[in-house]
Amino acid sequence: MTDTPARLLSLLSLLQTPREWPGSELAERLDVSPRTIRRDIDRLRALGYPVEATMGAVGGYRLVAGAAMPPLLLDDEEAVAIAVGLRAGAGHAIEGVEEASVRALAKLEQVLPSRLRHRVSTLQAATIPLAQGDGATIDPRTLTVMASAVTGTERLRFGYRSGDGTETKRQVEPYRLVSTGRRWYLVAYDLGREDWRTFRVDRVSEPFATGARFRPRELPAGDAAKFLRRSMSRMKPSMEVDVSFLAPAPFVAARLPAHLGAPEPTGPDSCRLRTSVNDSLEWLALRLALVDCEFTAHRPERLTNYLRELGARLTRAAVPGAAS
């Protein structure tokens, strides 16, 4: 193989397999001399790929972890597997990895050949994930279109359904995508309303990047997450919650959504949660019940009243003929 760039790519593809390659085997695979392999290894090192050499009869070359991650070479099967996995992570808002999943997916789908994009879409359409949690699922293509528009500072058009069901057409200058762990939101400047807005991504339909570039405006809040919190607090009055649990704090924390905050231990087998939430009363009552331990709601009064009504309703549901 006399084409140096092509040979380097082939060599790198071999080295990315998790094994140690003797120089003689690499030379045979690429049909070059061991001296050429040594020069090519030096070229890869100069490009930032940490190739380690070991001496001896069983020595050879292998790619090791470095201080930074250089570009990877993926075969077709690997690219499809990664794209499908990223789509799953992005579309179901897995807390902690969702934003990185969207960024990585947008980059990967940008360079995927059309034949592989088709395979990814076909596999996605033919499978149904068993979603957990109470967040809305989203078509990952919607997220990648939005992420690409944010990165490329392109104006975005889409249909939007408000909470009361009203359908509108929007044209915006997208600023950031924000995940709350339960839902995705787009923070953007709405050109029709001439003001900043937040949009629930699960209510967006047919997003389209227009290709028209814009100069990013200054967000009124310090960052997109702060702006979203402020916007959500205006849309729904906050509720001060105080609940005691007869279970260790780690047990309760693992069963509550992260945005509710962490309960404070009050003993080895008890804890207390004091927090402010913007969630609905019904949703909060169900989440508390799903912790699966004894608990007492101290406030607000409307939460304790609702829990009492819910408990009575569930009791009647468990007795045949009680509700008739």
Side-chain angles (χ1 to χ4, degrees):
M1 183 180 291
T2 57
D3 184 348
T4 301
R7 190 178 64 247
L8 284 176
L9 290 175
S10 298
L11 175 59
L12 180 58
S13 181
L14 291 171
L15 290 173
Q16 285 180 345
T17 304
R19 56 161 290 190
E20 194 164 272
W21 289 89
S24 57
E25 186 176 348
L26 290 174
E28 183 180 349
R29 288 279 193 120
L30 299 178
D31 194 22
V32 295
S33 68
R35 182 180 179 184
T36 299
I37 290 296
R38 288 194 294 271
R39 286 201 301 264
D40 287 348
I41 291 293
D42 289 337
R43 290 189 180 101
L44 289 178
R45 288 169 175 161
L47 291 172
Y49 292 93
V51 182
E52 184 180 79
T54 55
M55 307 301 291
V58 293
Y61 299 101
R62 66 188 181 97
L63 198 63
V64 298
M69 190 179 76
L72 296 174
L73 285 179
L74 303 173
D75 62 29
D76 286 5
E77 300 302 323
E78 293 167 340
V80 169
I82 290 174
V84 170
L86 289 172
R87 282 188 170 202
H92 294 281
I94 300 172
E95 191 168 0
V97 301
E98 63 283 343
E99 294 184 35
S101 295
V102 171
R103 291 197 306 271
L105 182 58
K107 291 177 182 178
L108 182 58
E109 294 199 344
Q110 176 96 11
V111 298
L112 277 181
S114 58
R115 70 179 191 282
L116 296 187
R117 282 199 298 271
H118 177 70
R119 286 179 59 185
V120 171
S121 298
T122 300
L123 182 56
Q124 190 80 14
T127 58
I128 300 176
L130 181 61
Q132 297 182 347
D134 39 37
T137 58
I138 302 165
D139 184 346
R141 286 172 295 184
T142 297
L143 286 170
T144 53
V145 168
M146 290 184 162
S148 297
V150 168
T151 303
T153 59
E154 286 185 67
R155 288 180 177 174
L156 196 64
R157 288 179 182 164
F158 53 83
Y160 191 69
R161 186 187 75 257
S162 63
D164 61 7
T166 303
E167 302 276 354
T168 56
K169 297 291 185 182
R170 303 297 183 97
Q171 183 172 195
V172 304
E173 294 176 352
Y175 184 78
R176 289 290 186 278
L177 280 165
V178 182
S179 172
T180 65
R182 292 175 56 215
R183 292 191 178 97
W184 280 99
Y185 291 86
L186 173 69
V187 175
Y189 185 85
D190 191 319
L191 295 169
R193 275 68 176 175
E194 297 185 343
D195 200 3
W196 289 92
R197 292 287 190 272
T198 59
F199 302 94
R200 266 180 53 174
V201 176
D202 58 296
R203 293 177 178 169
V204 168
S205 62
E206 300 179 354
F208 171 73
T210 65
R213 306 284 180 177
F214 64 90
R215 184 186 298 274
R217 303 170 191 260
E218 185 177 350
L219 191 67
D223 57 50
K226 185 182 296 183
F227 181 83
L228 176 62
R229 283 194 295 268
R230 186 182 301 173
S231 176
M232 292 175 70
S233 66
R234 286 198 300 264
M235 290 188 293
K236 190 182 295 182
S238 63
M239 180 168 46
E240 299 299 322
V241 175
D242 185 359
V243 183
S244 296
F245 298 89
L246 289 178
F251 175 93
V252 174
R255 287 159 177 77
L256 285 176
H259 77 278
L260 292 181
E264 296 181 359
T266 55
D269 296 309
S270 63
C271 60
R272 192 158 183 163
L273 177 68
R274 297 181 178 90
T275 187
S276 178
V277 300
N278 299 106
D279 300 295
S280 70
L281 187 69
E282 297 80 6
W283 180 88
L284 179 62
L286 290 174
R287 290 303 310 190
L288 294 174
L290 288 173
V291 174
D292 197 24
C293 71
E294 296 291 329
F295 69 92
T296 301
H298 302 287
R299 63 172 180 161
E301 185 178 356
R302 58 195 181 102
L303 174 61
T304 60
N305 291 339
Y306 182 79
L307 287 168
R308 192 177 299 113
E309 294 169 6
L310 179 62
R313 194 182 313 145
L314 293 174
T315 299
R316 290 193 300 271
V319 180
S324 59

